[in-house]
Amino acid sequence: MFDERMKSFREWFESDEHKWSKPVQEMTAKLWKRSEQYRESLTQPGCYRTSNQVDRLMNRMTRLMYSGRGIHGNHLASELRLRGWALMRNFVPYARRSGVTREYTSPANKLNQHNYHDNWLENLQIPASMNGIHCT
């Protein structure tokens, strides 16, 4: 199955209807050379194909650390800044302006499957005051 997909992709990529830039051609050539290495991971059912989910969070955290000059200076201040960032990431609602109706409003809501309040800030304050304990 994997070989068929790679062959089909290569045929499509090399067809006359496409004009690819040099960097794109180089990256696909690299992909085809390493296809045997990718075969093992890509044939595993249910496995993530990329690390995008982690990379997006880590890129944001890297920018936060850079803007705060890393962990230079007061260790407690750096720790509190990172903890605050993590809390905000968990409780700030998913893109509300998109107009998309979602089953869960935030990562914390999805994890707990419970919302204490319609206001996201109060949703953050309530579990924080209960030391993270969920009470219904």
Side-chain angles (χ1 to χ4, degrees), residues 71-82:
I71 54 174
H72 295 290
N74 188 333
H75 180 74
L76 179 60
S78 296
E79 183 178 334
L80 291 175
R81 182 174 54 249
L82 284 173

Side-chain angles (χ1 to χ4, degrees), residues 2 35-44:
F2 175 76
S35 64
E36 289 301 317
Q37 295 172 344
Y38 294 127
R39 176 192 314 272
E40 184 65 31
S41 64
L42 293 174
T43 56
Q44 299 298 317

Side-chain angles (χ1 to χ4, degrees), residues 60-89:
R60 289 181 183 143
M61 189 168 79
T62 300
R63 286 194 297 270
L64 174 77
M65 294 293 289
Y66 177 78
S67 67
R69 303 293 188 254
I71 54 174
H72 295 290
N74 188 333
H75 180 74
L76 179 60
S78 296
E79 183 178 334
L80 291 175
R81 182 174 54 249
L82 284 173
R83 286 175 176 257
W85 175 81
L87 276 171
M88 294 293 285
R89 285 287 310 140

Side-chain angles (χ1 to χ4, degrees), residues 49-117:
R49 304 301 181 231
T50 66
S51 61
N52 283 346
Q53 292 175 319
V54 173
D55 290 344
R56 287 180 185 141
L57 287 173
M58 294 306 294
N59 287 341
R60 289 181 183 143
M61 189 168 79
T62 300
R63 286 194 297 270
L64 174 77
M65 294 293 289
Y66 177 78
S67 67
R69 303 293 188 254
I71 54 174
H72 295 290
N74 188 333
H75 180 74
L76 179 60
S78 296
E79 183 178 334
L80 291 175
R81 182 174 54 249
L82 284 173
R83 286 175 176 257
W85 175 81
L87 276 171
M88 294 293 285
R89 285 287 310 140
N90 285 323
F91 283 91
V92 170
Y94 295 126
R96 291 192 319 209
R97 291 182 292 177
S98 70
V100 175
T101 305
R102 294 179 170 85
E103 183 178 356
Y104 301 108
T105 59
S106 68
N109 176 223
K110 186 175 181 179
L111 178 67
N112 295 331
Q113 297 183 349
H114 182 75
N115 249 347
Y116 297 101
H117 198 274

